[in-house]
């Protein structure tokens, strides 16, 4: 990865902020590199209709937070982020397929995603399901067959991690409980369960996979797991807040959806102020666990802050 994305030569102050680190420039450079890798991951392949539907959603923009977390964790663990790029792409593919399927009439039934009509609105339901399926399986291909230079046992660990995060113990399990709870009153523990699985599991996997590619040891993997739990929950709390406070134009997806679908959210259970306080506390805790690795942690520390300060 180019020097523009490297964070070397920074240190952090007592608030966990990196000194001498230009997060804006880091984010922009990382996003450009991720966009290029995503574009290259889907070549001139057939059937064209399937390729078009896959490209439509994968290259529709988005914050690219998941691949960037993966690259940043690889760097923190002392690895070369370029070696983690195929895995970073894989994580964005799993995320994108989950958005395509989440938007289907049988699930959230949404018309707008990343500022454009949802996949099934453009390509039809059957093709949207299949484009999602193809992105999910391509994700595993990216790791297993398109990750040159990474030792096989590390790739195997990444495949295992990605499987757990995507399937019943992760996203799918969280989505099932979320759908089952629609229209019911839900307590804070159940809400936390839904979000730790539906949203948190993949964010956690991003951080762990990046570190696994770098060959991180148990201490660091454990610390990163704790960091990821904190930012994962904080991310979802902010998502719930933005659903109430931001417009569809800014979000690029339908605002106010939680209320319409009668979903329990953090603002509903705790109020807006307390929800924001909770997200900030979770982020502060998450940053705290990275203190022993502070010399290389500038991107992950700044990404944690970005989660609570984002407006979309
Ligand atoms: C992964 C096998 C498999 C199935 C998917 C549909 C489903 C099962 C799960 C739903 C998961 C889901 C849509 C969770 C919501 C996560 C979330 C908060 C998405 C928004 O993420 P952002 O804000 O979006 O990072 P951008 O567009 O910026 O990438």
């Amino acid at each position: 990865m180019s020097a523009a994305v490297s964070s070397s030569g920074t240190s952090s102050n007592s608030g966990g902020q990196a000194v001498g680190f230009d997060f804006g420039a880091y984010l922009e450079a990382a996003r450009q590199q991720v966009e290029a890798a995503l574009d290259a991951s889907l070549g001139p392949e057939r059937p064209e209709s399937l390729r078009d539907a896959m490209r439509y959603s994968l290259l529709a923009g988005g914050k690219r937070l998941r691949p960037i977390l993966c690259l940043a964790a690889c760097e923190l663990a002392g690895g070369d982020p370029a070696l983690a790029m195929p895995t970073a792409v894989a994580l964005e593919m799993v995320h994108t397929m989950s958005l395509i399927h989440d938007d289907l009439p049988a699930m959230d039934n949404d018309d707008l995603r990343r500022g454009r009509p949802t996949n099934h609105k453009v390509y039809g339901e059957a093709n949207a399901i299949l484009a999602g399926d193809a992105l999910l399986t391509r994700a595993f291909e990216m790791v297993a067959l398109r990750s040159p230079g990474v030792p096989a046992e590390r790739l195997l660990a990444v495949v295992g991690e990605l499987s757990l995060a995507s399937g019943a113990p992760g996203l799918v399990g969280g989505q099932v409980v979320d759908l089952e709870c629609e229209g019911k009153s839900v307590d804070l523990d159940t809400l936390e369960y839904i979000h730790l699985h539906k949203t948190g599991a993949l964010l956690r996997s991003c951080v762990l996979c990046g570190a696994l590619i770098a060959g991180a040891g148990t201490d660091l993997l454990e610390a990163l797991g704790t960091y990821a739990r904190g930012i994962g929950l904080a991310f979802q709390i902010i998502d719930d807040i933005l659903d109430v406070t931001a417009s569809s134009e800014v979000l690029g997806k339908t605002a106010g959806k939680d209320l319409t679908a009668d979903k329990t959210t953090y603002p509903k259970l705790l109020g807006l102020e307390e929800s924001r306080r909770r997200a900030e506390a979770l982020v502060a805790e998450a940053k705290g666990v990275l203190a022993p690795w502070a010399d290389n942690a500038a991107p992950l520390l700044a990404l944690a802050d970005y989660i609570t300060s984002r407006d979309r």
Side-chain angles (χ1 to χ4, degrees), residues 4 52 83 86 93 114 137 144 146 149 185 212 233 257 264 303:
D52 290 350
L83 294 183
M93 286 175 166
R114 291 176 164 171
T137 42
R146 300 208 209 175
S185 70
L212 286 168
L233 264 187
K257 200 77 215 283
T264 302
L303 283 161

Side-chain angles (χ1 to χ4, degrees), residues 154-282:
R154 293 185 190 176
L155 294 178
L156 189 60
V158 168
V159 167
E161 176 50 45
L162 201 51
S163 317
L164 292 172
S166 308
L171 260 84
V172 177
Q175 177 78 346
V176 167
V177 178
D178 191 26
L179 291 173
E180 285 172 356
C181 287
E182 258 179 42
K184 294 186 186 151
S185 70
V186 165
D187 62 19
L188 208 52
D189 281 350
T190 310
L191 188 64
E192 188 171 290
Y193 174 91
I194 291 171
H195 294 321
L196 279 176
H197 290 78
K198 190 180 142 174
T199 304
L202 191 60
L203 290 168
R204 181 174 186 274
S205 191
C206 295
V207 174
L208 293 185
C209 287
L212 286 168
I213 299 252
T218 323
D219 284 359
L220 179 53
L221 289 173
E222 237 172 65
L224 286 171
T226 309
Y227 162 89
R229 185 186 193 281
I231 65 156
L233 264 187
F235 183 88
Q236 186 58 53
I237 295 175
I238 298 297
D239 212 68
D240 285 0
I241 293 175
L242 290 173
D243 186 70
V244 185
T245 59
S247 66
S248 300
E249 290 71 42
V250 171
L251 292 178
K253 60 182 179 180
T254 314
K257 200 77 215 283
D258 295 336
L259 206 60
T260 321
D262 199 11
K263 283 197 179 182
T264 302
T265 62
Y266 283 91
K268 193 170 167 187
L269 288 184
L270 303 174
L272 279 173
E273 290 269 297
E274 180 52 29
S275 298
R276 180 160 287 285
R277 256 198 301 277
R278 190 169 279 230
E280 281 163 5
L282 283 163

Side-chain angles (χ1 to χ4, degrees), residues 3 5-11 20-21 75 295-296 298-299:
V5 184
S6 167
S7 63
S8 59
T10 59
S11 58
F21 172 63
E75 189 182 345
D295 285 352
N296 294 320

